[in-house]
Amino acid sequence: MIIVYAFAAAFLLLITACTADEPGAKLNTPTPPTEEEKSQEIHRFSARTNRLLDGFYIAQNERRPSQQAKFGLQNDQTRLDNLSEAHAKLSLQLTQAQLLSLKAIDQTTLNAQTQLNLGLFIRELENAITDFKWRFHAYLINPVDGLHRAAVDMMINRHTIRTSSDAKAYIQRLNAIPLYLEQLSIALTTRADKGIVAPTFVFPKALATCKNIIDSQVLLLDFKEKLKNSDIDRAVQAAFMLDANSAFHQQTKPAYQKFMRYLQHLSTRAEERPGVLNLPEGKAYYQYRLSRSSTTQLKADEIYALGEQEVARLLNELKTVQAQLGYTGDLHSFFEFLQTDTRFFFANTEAGRQQYLYDAQRTIRNVSAKLNELFYPQDLTHLVVESSQHIQRYLAGDIFYQRTGEGQQDARLFLNLREMQNLPIYQMAARVYHEAIPGHHLQLSKNQDQPMFRQASQVDVYTEGWGLYAEWLPTTIGLYQDPYDNVGRLSLALSRAARLVVDTGLHSQHWSREKAIRYLTQNTPHSHLEATHIVEQVIVQPTQTTAQTLAFMKLKALQAAAREHLGSAFDIREFHEVILRQGALPLDTLEQQVATWIKQLKPL
């Protein structure tokens, strides 16, 4: 606690020092400052404020190694996240102190960009404080990204090894897993005592994940591959492998075995509860989560209705494309045809995987060649398209995108090609557009000049919404030449739109798990097994899957409104510059940015 308050006091002193000679302070000057002097003062104070925001963000990340790793910071790779309640309360005190400090800043002394940065940081702090109230409602273990696998994910995906210090840090993290899992067990027990336990179906999946971590020895495989690609001497590598083996078998493996026994015990307290309405204050929690994930004030009933409308629209588009293809059966038989006909899948062989990689690279080249029709010239880092055998044995997703850390120039699009029968060729284009160009690779490249906290912003609704928008955008420049590629795009969009209905149905209308699965199988191309996986994800991560479709719909609506207001003055490239140049934004803030741009071009 002393550390937290000392930190706050230090930054309050910094603010005082910054403001002592800034506009707004009472200075006994004989003549008022000139406009140029005012401009210089605003510039100086804005620069100081942005440095202050970066300092606050770094202070937060020092308490969250996983967030440091996500941002590519490697100043301390030895630790795992602290999951204790005491740590959480100290983090809250830090957040409260930072919020108090930032609210003391006179925003009239800042330029417009810094006012935006400051407002967004304050908003994130306020959200974090409110999140703390609901912290026990989150299911810490789930089939998607539970904390039982989060440390492993971070080590595989974010822990780079170039030097001996990096290798030693990796081994220290292997040795830190017992404490991490012990803290997770205590946190789960705390929630169970409050009546919050993950549904029954979660436990077999969590146990299977833990068993896979042990049996596959994925951490040792990852460590070995990273060592091989490092600058470390071969003889030293051999010694590190011995140490890693010892840490894994003496610390990591027994810790996971103990945690599995704990999960088996905790599972006896689980129930079949499909929605958060069954939790304490579940209705209020769900509405809060909706406002947080969507960054709007839409109510559950409104989102349900929007979902139904979008599903109906997409089904009609699919029927139109189906007719163009000359397929005379009903939509369900068409879906079955798409899922089972071998022409739509590459062989589950090394040759098939290489062909998929080659076609994905060709798709990126094709869209890159036409990018200037939609965007101003872009300075993009090189994009590597790759797969990795040892990682894809562990990861469940079909596509995994990873930005690189410090010292590396290439961005990477990771394709999980473990099961080729789950990767229909007709969905490849939409997936590549989403993850690479004009999707996340292009979007994140526009974020490099922002303050550190903005670059790492967690506005998932914007980021994933842009991904869906990037799937749709190539239709406007003729890039879905093959009708089946367009079917793939529509089928992916339909799956996400249906989740608006399923999410709100489960968590606000008392839908059963079976009803949600039935809705998906009747209205999307998903098989019963796929629909079950989606419903289980929606159950354990309420509102998360609603955000991207809502943002996609908002982006399309903003473009349509801009076209209508500006007429011949509308330039799609300038519109995209407005959308992208400020980085990830809450939807309400993004809408204000677009409205300001329209007004500047066409005053009322």
Side-chain angles (χ1 to χ4, degrees), residues 213-372:
I213 291 170
I214 295 172
D215 292 349
S216 70
Q217 298 189 14
V218 64
L219 287 167
L220 289 179
L221 291 171
D222 179 61
F223 184 72
K224 182 178 181 180
E225 183 167 299
K226 288 174 178 175
L227 273 183
K228 184 175 65 177
N229 296 322
S230 73
D231 298 327
I232 302 171
D233 182 83
R234 295 296 179 185
V236 179
Q237 287 186 26
F240 278 138
M241 277 306 307
L242 288 174
D243 290 343
N245 268 291
S246 175
F248 179 81
H249 289 288
Q250 294 181 24
Q251 298 293 332
T252 304
K253 182 177 178 179
Y256 267 104
Q257 290 170 332
K258 179 182 178 182
F259 185 67
M260 289 172 69
R261 292 192 293 271
Y262 169 78
L263 287 182
Q264 289 170 336
H265 171 73
L266 183 62
S267 68
T268 62
R269 303 176 67 176
E271 300 175 3
E272 287 291 351
R273 300 186 296 187
V276 296
L277 289 178
N278 298 289
L279 302 181
E281 298 183 87
K283 184 177 181 180
Y285 170 65
Y286 184 63
Q287 186 54 54
Y288 173 68
R289 287 306 313 162
L290 280 178
S291 63
R292 280 284 278 118
S293 62
S294 70
T295 65
T296 71
Q297 295 305 311
L298 289 171
K299 304 299 183 185
D301 288 348
E302 294 174 300
I303 294 174
Y304 181 89
L306 285 172
E308 286 193 315
Q309 293 168 15
E310 188 69 358
V311 167
R313 183 186 70 80
L314 290 165
L315 284 173
N316 285 333
E317 279 200 50
L318 271 169
K319 290 174 183 176
T320 300
V321 179
Q322 178 188 344
Q324 292 172 353
L325 289 167
Y327 191 90
T328 56
D330 62 23
L331 201 54
H332 287 288
S333 65
F334 183 54
F335 288 158
E336 184 176 356
F337 163 65
L338 293 172
Q339 293 167 351
T340 58
D341 196 294
T342 57
R343 82 181 76 173
F344 299 126
F345 301 88
F346 290 126
N348 196 34
T349 63
E350 187 57 30
R353 293 180 178 88
Q354 288 303 313
Q355 186 63 50
Y356 195 101
L357 282 172
Y358 175 80
D359 285 2
Q361 291 165 340
R362 183 180 60 187
T363 299
I364 291 172
R365 289 194 299 270
N366 290 343
V367 69
S368 297
K370 303 191 73 173
L371 205 58
N372 288 348

Side-chain angles (χ1 to χ4, degrees), residues 128-143:
I129 290 169
T130 309
D131 286 345
F132 188 81
K133 171 188 174 182
W134 299 105
R135 67 193 183 282
F136 296 121
H137 279 68
Y139 295 129
L140 301 185
I141 57 168
N142 64 67

Side-chain angles (χ1 to χ4, degrees), residues 18 22-23 38-54 105-118 451:
C18 288
E22 303 298 339
K38 288 180 181 179
S39 177
Q40 291 174 349
E41 288 292 285
I42 288 175
H43 176 76
R44 281 198 294 270
F45 194 35
S46 296
R48 291 171 180 172
T49 300
N50 283 318
R51 289 196 298 271
L52 180 66
L53 297 180
D54 276 347
I105 295 176
D106 181 1
Q107 293 202 24
T108 64
T109 63
L110 306 174
N111 60 32
Q113 179 64 57
T114 307
Q115 287 182 29
L116 175 63
N117 294 340
L118 178 61

Side-chain angles (χ1 to χ4, degrees), residues 356 360 363 397-399 401 413 415 422-437 439-440 467 470-471 480 485 488-489 491-492 496 499 526 530:
Y356 195 101
T363 299
D398 294 330
I399 294 181
Y401 177 77
L413 171 58
L415 301 181
N422 295 332
L423 294 172
I425 298 168
Y426 53 79
Q427 288 184 350
M428 178 198 297
R431 290 183 182 278
V432 168
Y433 295 147
H434 180 122
E435 298 292 339
I437 300 172
H440 296 321
E471 293 177 22
Y480 284 98
D485 286 345
R489 175 188 71 83
S491 65
L492 288 171
R496 283 113 170 200
R499 297 178 206 204
H526 290 301
E530 291 170 334

